[in-house]
């Protein structure tokens, strides 16, 4: 049976996303680890990423005019962009710092807690309800992570606390993105997201950098290779664009499945590239239990999305609508009101991508709900 060209392109985008996401994580570990490149300054590395991404976004929007800017008011910036940027910077700071203490493989196992953290934050913020079936899934995921942590040979409490804190900061960032931007009707693609969020995150990171890392950098002998840091930041930027391409061509379920596949590939690569990343049988058992909970959670969310569709809509009509919406998603320009009002089906999918994604270096803000009451910034 012949596979269509569109399907092949979709698989190519998925493969690109998996490779870039894995590459960014492994590259960050290599740069930060004292055993390899030996640049133990995670805040500095994160600031380099934010500065580079913000600069590229500025040139694409203001100089080359490839992307239309968003009409951003001070009120929207202060109430939406600043708090989202603060938690985004915090999640990157804590997540990158964890590389100094624990292995990449164990970090990926801890990241199975992302659905748990997102669900708890959503319940606290009132965007989701406490359901028995979802709660049991969360208990199963948590149990698996606890077993995996117990089986970790090189368990480090400091690194674990950093990583878990980063996970909850990212979960709160995702929920706040939905809560805050839902009221404003603001939509940002990856380039405009970086344009507004990256510089603000850079500023937030400056304070801990000034207090924690700058004194150490002043008195220690560190190596600074411009090509290493340039290529590292370029990989992080490319990851944003790959996620945008994947979101435009796949469903939230596909993203979740590819994320699970990426985690297994990443754990395998980490054990090969970093021999100190020893995996025990208890690690694998615990992670497998956690993934069972994650898969069941993904199934429940996909079921919720399916039940929320229009009852009179046939599969053919929905497929045709999705095809049109996917074509619109490839447009980098900020959509006008007419485009937004005609993309109701895509909104739900993008929100599911928002919930599914907790990836590295990706402050992507998808379309939000409540477009019928959307008010254009003055």
């Amino acid at each position: 049976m012949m596979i269509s060209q569109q399907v092949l392109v979709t698989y190519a985008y998925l493969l690109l996303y998996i490779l870039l996401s894995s590459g960014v994580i492994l590259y960050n570990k290599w740069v930060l680890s004292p055993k390899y490149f030996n640049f133990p300054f995670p805040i500095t590395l994160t600031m380099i990423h934010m500065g580079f991404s913000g600069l590229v976004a500025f040139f694409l929007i203001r100089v080359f005019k490839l992307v239309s800017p968003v009409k951003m008011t001070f009120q929207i910036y202060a109430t939406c962009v600043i708090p989202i940027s603060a938690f985004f910077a915090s999640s990157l700071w804590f997540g990158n710092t964890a590389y100094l203490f624990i292995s990449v493989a164990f970090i990926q196992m801890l990241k199975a807690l992302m659905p748990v953290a997102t669900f708890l934050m959503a319940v606290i913020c009132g965007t989701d309800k406490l359901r028995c079936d979802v709660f049991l899934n969360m208990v199963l995921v948590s149990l698996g992570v606890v077993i995996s942590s117990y089986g970790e040979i090189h368990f480090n409490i400091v690194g674990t606390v950093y990583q878990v804190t980063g996970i909850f900061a990212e979960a709160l960032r995702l929920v706040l993105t939905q809560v805050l931007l839902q009221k404003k009707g603001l939509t940002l693609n990856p380039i405009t997201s970086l344009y507004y969020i990256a510089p603000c995150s850079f500023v937030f990171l400056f304070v801990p950098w000034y207090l924690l890392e700058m004194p150490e950098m002043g008195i220690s002998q560190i190596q600074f290779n411009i090509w290493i840091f340039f290529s590292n930041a370029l990989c992080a930027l490319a990851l944003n664009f790959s996620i945008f391409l994947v979101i435009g061509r796949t469903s939230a379920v596909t993203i979740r499945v590819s994320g699970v596949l990426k985690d297994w590939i990443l754990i395998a690569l980490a054990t090969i590239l970093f021999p100190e990343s020893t995996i025990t049988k208890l690690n694998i058992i615990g992670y497998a239990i956690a993934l069972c909970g994650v898969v069941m959670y993904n199934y429940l969310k996909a079921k919720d999305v399916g039940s929320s569709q229009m009852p009179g809509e046939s599969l053919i009509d929905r497929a045709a609508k999705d095809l049109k919406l996917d074509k619109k998603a490839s447009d980098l320009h900020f959509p006008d009101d007419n485009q937004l009002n005609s993309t109701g089906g895509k909104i739900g999918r993008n929100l599911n991508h928002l919930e599914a994604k907790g990836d590295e270096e990706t402050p992507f803000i998808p379309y939000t709900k409540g477009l019928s009451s959307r008010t254009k910034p003055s």
Side-chain angles (χ1 to χ4, degrees):
M1 183 177 180
M2 295 292 293
I3 301 178
S4 66
Q5 183 179 0
Q6 185 176 6
V7 173
L8 289 175
V9 172
T10 301
Y11 283 140
Y13 285 154
L14 279 172
L15 179 61
L16 178 63
Y17 155 71
I18 291 174
L19 291 176
L20 284 173
S21 182
S22 302
V24 169
I25 294 172
L26 295 172
Y27 206 168
N28 286 350
K29 173 65 176 180
W30 182 82
V31 170
L32 294 170
S33 177
K35 295 183 179 180
Y36 299 97
F37 187 72
N38 191 23
F39 186 80
F41 301 103
I43 303 177
T44 305
L45 183 65
T46 307
M47 290 178 69
I48 292 174
H49 291 175
M50 293 297 97
F52 179 78
S53 298
L55 187 64
V56 170
F58 174 82
F59 275 95
L60 291 177
I61 292 177
R62 296 299 181 183
V63 178
F64 298 107
K65 309 291 184 181
L66 296 179
V67 181
S68 301
V70 177
K71 293 182 180 180
M72 181 71 67
T73 65
F74 177 79
Q75 181 183 6
I76 294 177
Y77 192 87
T79 58
C80 295
V81 175
I82 289 180
I84 291 172
S85 300
F87 286 104
F88 180 60
S90 300
S91 66
L92 293 179
W93 167 20
F94 294 130
N96 285 338
T97 304
Y99 290 122
L100 298 177
F101 303 95
I102 54 181
S103 67
V104 172
F106 185 49
I107 285 176
Q108 292 307 120
M109 294 176 188
L110 289 175
K111 284 182 179 179
L113 286 172
M114 177 57 73
V116 179
T118 306
F119 175 69
L120 291 177
M121 292 297 103
V123 171
I124 293 174
C125 295
T127 61
D128 204 346
K129 295 181 180 179
L130 187 60
R131 294 164 43 186
C132 182
D133 52 354
V134 177
F135 178 76
L136 291 177
N137 285 147
M138 301 300 99
V139 172
L140 185 62
V141 172
S142 302
L143 177 63
V145 172
V146 170
I147 294 175
S148 180
S149 301
Y150 184 78
E152 176 66 16
I153 295 178
H154 305 291
F155 181 82
N156 184 286
I157 186 63
V158 175
T160 302
V161 170
Y162 268 116
Q163 182 58 45
V164 172
T165 304
I167 288 173
F168 275 90
E170 174 66 7
L172 188 55
R173 196 265 304 185
L174 293 175
V175 174
L176 282 179
T177 298
Q178 180 180 348
V179 171
L180 296 177
L181 297 184
Q182 177 177 321
K183 299 177 181 179
K184 306 297 181 180
L186 186 66
T187 63
L188 302 176
N189 60 52
I191 298 178
T192 50
S193 294
L194 290 172
Y195 178 74
Y196 292 106
I197 292 178
C200 190
S201 298
F202 183 94
V203 174
F204 275 108
L205 290 168
F206 180 82
V207 175
W209 174 81
Y210 182 83
L211 297 175
L212 300 176
E213 291 190 359
M214 191 186 74
E216 296 292 330
M217 298 178 68
I219 62 176
S220 62
Q221 299 294 326
I222 62 172
Q223 53 178 334
F224 191 91
N225 188 316
I226 184 64
W227 296 111
I228 293 293
F229 290 101
F230 173 75
S231 60
N232 183 258
L234 190 63
C235 288
L237 180 66
L239 176 60
N240 280 276
F241 297 147
S242 72
I243 290 177
F244 178 62
L245 295 174
V246 168
I247 287 177
R249 288 182 173 269
T250 62
S251 65
V253 175
T254 305
I255 288 286
R256 291 188 176 104
V257 172
S258 64
V260 173
L261 177 62
K262 181 207 73 174
D263 290 340
W264 281 112
I265 294 175
L266 188 54
I267 290 174
L269 288 175
T271 57
I272 296 173
L273 298 177
F274 306 109
E276 68 275 10
S277 300
T278 306
I279 297 180
T280 65
K281 292 182 179 180
L282 206 54
N283 280 142
I284 298 176
I285 293 173
Y287 189 53
I289 293 174
L291 283 186
C292 288
V294 172
V295 170
M296 292 173 64
Y297 172 77
N298 291 340
Y299 170 76
L300 290 174
K301 300 304 290 184
K303 188 177 179 180
D304 290 342
V305 172
S307 62
S308 63
Q309 295 169 1
M310 295 178 61
E313 187 179 26
S314 66
L315 291 175
I316 298 177
D317 293 338
R318 181 170 169 264
K321 183 185 294 184
D322 280 350
L323 179 61
K324 293 180 181 179
L325 293 170
D326 285 341
K327 290 180 180 179
K328 287 185 178 182
S330 63
D331 185 9
L332 289 180
H333 288 276
F334 180 70
D336 56 26
D337 288 343
N338 293 329
Q339 288 175 311
L340 286 172
N341 289 332
S342 65
T343 55
K346 193 71 177 179
I347 297 166
R349 288 179 57 186
N350 276 327
L351 278 172
N352 286 293
H353 287 303
L354 168 71
E355 187 175 309
K357 294 308 301 166
D359 221 326
E360 293 70 20
E361 315 287 347
T362 54
F364 176 58
I365 298 178
Y367 298 148
T368 56
K369 294 179 181 179
L371 293 178
S372 60
S373 60
R374 179 177 185 269
T375 56
K376 185 178 265 186
S378 58

